[in-house]
Amino acid sequence: MEEEVIFLLKWGFVSVMCAVLVIVIGLIAKYKKSGYIWILAHLILFSWGALRWIKVLETRATSSSIDNSLTIAWIGVIWTISMICMSVGLLLLSPQKKHE
């Protein structure tokens, strides 16, 4: 990738994720539901993994393939944990049926 594209990718991602984080934090403050905290954890972990992935794109020419492979494997673990957090958050936010 060209150097200018990576810069745009990184700052575009950061700006979108910051806007989403502000919205989720606002929802946490307004509704005080624990599901939104799990969604926030997902967004933080996902952002961390995505930014690490962009870092791999930046340094792939200067890093060894073993280092890159291990980094990508850790990014996969972080992504898995973030998806678990999102799933728990969605389950907690789903409407509950009340037994009569």
Side-chain angles (χ1 to χ4, degrees), residues 48-50 52-54 56 70-80:
W48 184 31
R52 291 294 301 156
W53 183 263
I54 294 170
V56 168
L70 289 174
T71 301
I72 291 168
W74 277 113
I75 292 168
V77 170
I78 292 168
W79 176 79
T80 302

Side-chain angles (χ1 to χ4, degrees), residues 4-83:
E4 299 82 22
V5 174
I6 291 176
F7 174 79
L8 292 174
L9 178 65
K10 184 186 297 183
W11 289 107
F13 178 79
V14 167
S15 63
V16 169
M17 291 309 287
C18 284
V20 173
L21 285 171
V22 167
I23 291 169
V24 171
I25 291 170
L27 290 170
I28 291 171
K30 184 175 181 178
Y31 296 110
K32 300 196 180 15
K33 291 186 177 183
S34 63
Y36 291 118
I37 294 172
W38 285 96
I39 300 292
L40 180 65
H42 157 71
L43 291 172
I44 291 169
L45 289 170
F46 179 78
S47 296
W48 184 31
L51 289 173
R52 291 294 301 156
W53 183 263
I54 294 170
K55 186 72 170 171
V56 168
L57 292 175
E58 285 178 320
T59 61
R60 73 175 185 260
T62 58
S63 298
S64 71
S65 66
I66 295 171
D67 289 339
N68 288 340
S69 297
L70 289 174
T71 301
I72 291 168
W74 277 113
I75 292 168
V77 170
I78 292 168
W79 176 79
T80 302
I81 296 168
S82 80
M83 296 309 288

